[in-house]
Amino acid sequence: MAQPVRIGVVGCGSVGTGSYMPFLQRLNLQGVRSEIVAACDVVEERRSMVRERFGVDNFTTDYHDVLANADVDLVLVLTSMQQHGEITRAALEAGKHVLVEKPMSMSLEEAGEIVELARRSPGYLLCAPHVVLSPTYQAMWRHIQRGDIGKVLSARGLYGWSGPNWGEWYYKPGGGSMFDLGVYNVTTLTGLLGPARRVMAMSGIAIPERIINGQRVEVQSHDNAHLLLDFGGSVHAVVTTGFTLQQYRCPGVELYGSEGTIQMLREDWDPGGYELWRNSAGYWELHEDRSNWPWTDGVRHLIESIQAGTPPIITPEHAYHVLEIMTKTMESGNTGQALPIESTFTPPSFEMEGEPEEAAHLIHDPARE
Ligand SMILES: NC(=O)c1ccc[n+]([C@@H]2O[C@H](COP(=O)([O-])OP(=O)(O)OC[C@H]3O[C@@H](n4cnc5c(N)ncnc54)[C@H](O)[C@@H]3O)[C@@H](O)[C@H]2O)c1
């Protein structure tokens, strides 16, 4: 049996203690073995909560202690976004495996250095979001690869809400809805369509002041964006994101091909399956996914990759490409210019087996009527 991967958690806030750490406990019950051997947060008060809820005694307010700990194999970087780059780089330099929440860095230059470092480092680097791991994403990928909707010509993604009422940093420079939310759609669409070549955006601050943790906060990062992506050959996509959307009722991701359409049920961070229209069939097929795939699944994938000694299928190069698109979205929003995308990456590919039809649940099948 594989050795448990020993984990140091840096950032014990909402997703650290509310999502990743409970998920690691569930994974252990399923035989994906890990142990949280160290935890870190700059807020000292988290110490007792981490001990009581997760039985972790080794708590520090200085992340360097986690990196210096020889018992730590894997560092989870779950801090506010502004700290990701510095901690990720230092953890790779210390020879650790790293999972970093999105984005890997605020700056493209630093992200480029991190990608280079990850190529040389003995540790694997896995950057959130983990959307390409979901069964729904992979089933949609297979349909597209098989040509079920023909050549994809156009696509759209949508993800937004009214915005966090905690974490002032979401609204400070380096925060914003594109880094926090749009990142999922940009990862999904580039994963399915390949690297983008050019972007153009309307992006800005629509709500200049917010109440966060009961305090009035001046919003300093873009909270409202429409991004246009050019994939070459007149293949285009649009991503809409904002802390400006109270509710909506439409699929999170849709792809329009020359022979059909495929659309995701719910959103790419929490997908519930998809609907498929093929001109050749002439009706909509509903493929529900009730597996409740968890958006934290990247840590499961990374633990298994470490135990198997095989690199994760989510690459730092993909995350870098997404970061270039996001930073240029904000630049384009400020300048009104279309901007070329210089980076590229190889999209993840999957086995063609696991035919989605097996799980198909047809809502309208003329053959049955
Ligand atoms: N909240 C969500 O729903 C959600 C979902 C997916 C991903 N994320 C991502 O997860 C990350 C964390 O988000 P969150 O909502 O948990 O934020 P949060 O503010 O609740 O938690 C962040 C924690 O990091 C700590 N921290 C800051 N700097 C640190 C440092 N130098 N060393 C150690 N600890 C430090 C803070 O004290 C805080 O406890 C972000 O990158 C966010 O984009 C959040």
Side-chain angles (χ1 to χ4, degrees), residues 13-15 41-42 46 78-79 84 101-102 166 169-170 184:
S14 173
V15 310
D41 200 292
V42 286
R46 305 262 198 261
L78 309 178
T79 64
H84 290 179
E101 255 303 330
K102 38 60 176 185
W166 72 95
W169 56 266
Y170 277 105
Y184 291 94

Side-chain angles (χ1 to χ4, degrees), residues 315-326:
T315 63
E317 287 79 7
H318 190 179
Y320 179 90
H321 184 74
V322 170
L323 185 67
E324 183 182 1
I325 290 171
M326 295 193 299

Side-chain angles (χ1 to χ4, degrees), residues 6 24 51 61-62 93 96-97 151 163 166 178 182 193 195 235 253 257 261-262 273 294 306 315 334 356:
R6 299 165 303 174
L24 289 169
R51 181 186 294 130
T61 53
D62 182 350
E93 278 166 356
K96 308 296 187 190
H97 302 288
K151 178 174 162 39
W166 72 95
M178 183 54 75
L193 292 176
V235 175
V253 175
T261 297
I262 194 162
I306 293 167
T315 63
N334 289 333

Side-chain angles (χ1 to χ4, degrees), residues 188-209:
T188 294
L189 291 173
T190 52
L192 293 173
L193 292 176
R197 304 202 183 157
R198 198 167 60 121
V199 298
M200 193 169 181
M202 295 285 162
S203 180
I205 298 171
I207 302 176
E209 214 175 69

Side-chain angles (χ1 to χ4, degrees), residues 136-156 188-194 235 253-264 274-278 347-348 350 352 355-357:
T136 295
Y137 173 97
Q138 293 182 13
M140 289 172 67
W141 180 87
R142 287 188 183 96
H143 279 296
I144 292 166
Q145 294 301 309
R146 278 202 303 260
D148 287 344
I149 63 167
K151 178 174 162 39
V152 178
L153 304 172
S154 184
R156 64 161 201 85
T188 294
L189 291 173
T190 52
L192 293 173
L193 292 176
V235 175
V253 175
E254 280 183 303
L255 296 110
Y256 313 99
S258 56
E259 307 294 332
T261 297
I262 194 162
Q263 62 182 35
M264 191 178 272
Y274 58 94
E275 289 179 297
L276 174 67
W277 172 276
R278 293 183 249 216
F350 308 93
M352 287 304 283
E355 291 294 299
E357 273 71 17

Side-chain angles (χ1 to χ4, degrees), residues 6 36 122 130 147 174 177 196-197 211 226 246 249 259 266 314 346 351:
R6 299 165 303 174
I36 303 170
H130 318 304
S177 62
R197 304 202 183 157
I211 304 295
H226 288 254
Q246 306 305 312
R249 291 173 61 140
E259 307 294 332
R266 303 205 304 261
I314 301 173
T346 306
E351 300 277 327

Side-chain angles (χ1 to χ4, degrees), residues 6-12 21 35-42 47 50 56-79 87-88 90-99:
R6 299 165 303 174
I7 296 179
V9 177
V10 181
C12 299
M21 291 166 84
E35 187 186 352
I36 303 170
V37 295
C40 167
D41 200 292
V42 286
R47 179 189 294 272
V50 163
V56 181
D57 290 326
N58 184 358
F59 181 93
T60 174
T61 53
D62 182 350
Y63 75 82
H64 294 97
D65 296 338
V66 176
L67 307 190
N69 185 338
D71 289 337
V72 171
D73 306 311
L74 164 62
V75 177
L76 307 189
V77 183
L78 309 178
T79 64
I87 301 172
T88 298
L92 286 171
E93 278 166 356
K96 308 296 187 190
H97 302 288
V98 182
L99 180 151

